[in-house]
Amino acid sequence: MRFDLTDLRLFLHVVEAESITHGAERAGLALASASERIRGMELDGGVPLLERLPRGVRPTPAGLAVAHHARTVLAQLEQMRGELGQYARGLRGHVRLLSVTAAVAAFLPEALSGFLAAHPSVDIDLEERTSRETVDAVAGGLADLGIVADTTELADLETRPLRPDRLVLVVAEGHPLAAREAVALRDVLDEPFVGLSHGRSLQAYLAGHAARAGRPFKLRVRLGGLDAVCRMAARGVGIAIVPEAAAFRSGEAAGIRIVPLADPWASRRLVLAARSFSALPAHARQLVDHLLAEGGATG
């Protein structure tokens, strides 16, 4: 079999995306080239690696075996590059980091910019995912590190505590709820809400708790960022639930009032997760140390 590293990376992207088209995009390859590489892998191996479905693909048992070994090979290569990077300039390290909305909004941009400025030979691929998706990706070797809420089932992943993640209600200054000391989600579900776009991890988390309370959100508008959500809430369009750090950052400028949520699930802690911290490449371990320091400083 003549699989090269490009083949292995492409195959993992396709398996994760459940689509050759999207896998090709993530790998930076044209669809025709990616399809030809996948066919070549199947011909070389003498067995189908993907089951073609009406809406995407999924790995066959042989494909799952290839994905497992591809993750191992690429992880070992990344660890080698990271360790060699301690001795030779020009070798770049790469870390794939998945995170929930709260960390992306609260501190990650500042924390990562400081790390990247201090480590010009390291690249970081940051994607926002739900806690469940992040745990699955890290456990499956599709990401190096994940930032998730500690309320998530973490399987066999190793974790490090990062920072508190309190969710609060934000309302306009003149809203009847502005004077409340605390509210429960079930008591405000009749109110119009301002929320985040489809696919944002925080919105998915909140939707799950609303469903368990027996009623969905009445979303008037979905926006792409928490600052925009807070500004819209300040103008009386609706109320919103956001991380406390984001609310404080937007509070004075936006003119919002912050009301604590009484629900136990609103007080979480963010944790940093990996399959094995000691097995990470050197540059990824440096990122871990940096994030733990930054998370503690801001939490």
Side-chain angles (χ1 to χ4, degrees):
M1 289 180 285
R2 299 185 296 275
F3 301 169
D4 61 23
L5 295 177
T6 301
D7 291 335
L8 297 181
R9 290 192 180 95
L10 168 64
F11 190 74
L12 285 180
H13 283 307
V14 168
V15 169
E16 180 187 2
E18 297 181 339
S19 164
I20 295 177
T21 300
H22 293 152
E25 290 175 355
R26 295 183 182 185
L29 296 173
L31 177 57
S33 175
S35 297
E36 185 62 29
R37 282 182 174 272
I38 295 294
R39 281 195 296 269
M41 293 177 69
E42 292 178 320
L43 288 173
D44 282 347
V47 64
L49 301 178
L50 295 174
E51 181 181 356
R52 275 71 171 177
L53 304 171
R55 294 181 178 272
V57 298
R58 66 185 175 199
T60 64
L64 290 173
V66 170
H68 168 75
H69 290 291
R71 293 185 191 109
T72 301
V73 169
L74 294 174
Q76 290 176 338
L77 176 64
E78 195 65 32
Q79 185 168 3
M80 180 190 72
R81 292 176 64 195
E83 292 175 0
L84 286 176
Q86 305 297 307
Y87 306 101
R89 287 189 169 273
L91 288 177
R92 303 194 63 83
H94 178 269
V95 181
R96 186 162 189 241
L97 170 65
L98 306 185
S99 174
V100 294
T101 306
V104 175
F107 79 102
L108 271 183
E110 294 79 8
L112 293 182
S113 63
F115 179 84
L116 291 168
H119 299 82
S121 64
V122 179
D123 297 328
I124 297 174
D125 180 10
L126 172 64
E127 289 186 33
E128 184 181 320
R129 298 288 187 90
T130 66
S131 287
R132 182 71 267 154
E133 290 171 335
T134 297
V135 167
D136 290 344
V138 174
L142 298 175
D144 302 292
L145 296 168
I147 298 177
V148 301
D150 63 358
T151 52
T152 307
E153 172 58 49
L154 296 168
D156 294 325
L157 297 183
E158 294 183 4
T159 62
R160 300 287 187 272
L162 198 55
R163 56 174 287 146
D165 173 37
R166 290 176 288 270
L167 299 176
V168 298
L169 189 74
V170 294
V171 302
E173 290 181 334
H175 195 282
L177 292 170
R180 295 279 294 273
E181 292 186 2
V183 296
L185 177 64
R186 65 178 179 276
D187 295 330
V188 297
L189 285 174
D190 289 332
E191 295 280 343
F193 272 80
V194 179
L196 290 167
S197 304
H198 288 287
R200 301 296 295 273
S201 62
L202 175 58
Q203 199 61 47
Y205 179 73
L206 295 174
H209 284 287
R212 282 187 281 277
R215 285 173 290 169
F217 283 111
K218 297 179 179 178
L219 284 173
R220 295 196 65 197
V221 61
R222 291 179 179 270
L223 301 166
L226 291 169
D227 289 339
V229 167
C230 290
R231 290 197 301 271
M232 194 72 77
R235 286 162 174 77
V237 174
I239 64 176
I241 297 175
V242 301
E244 187 177 46
F248 277 123
R249 187 174 61 239
S250 301
E252 292 185 5
I256 60 174
R257 287 290 179 265
I258 299 172
V259 183
L261 283 171
D263 303 271
W265 52 260
S267 293
R268 312 180 295 176
R269 175 168 286 277
L270 298 179
V271 298
L272 189 62
R275 284 191 295 174
S276 170
F277 287 103
S278 62
L280 289 171
H283 54 273
R285 294 197 300 270
Q286 290 174 336
L287 177 60
V288 168
D289 292 340
H290 181 81
L291 290 176
L292 294 178
E294 288 291 315
T298 54

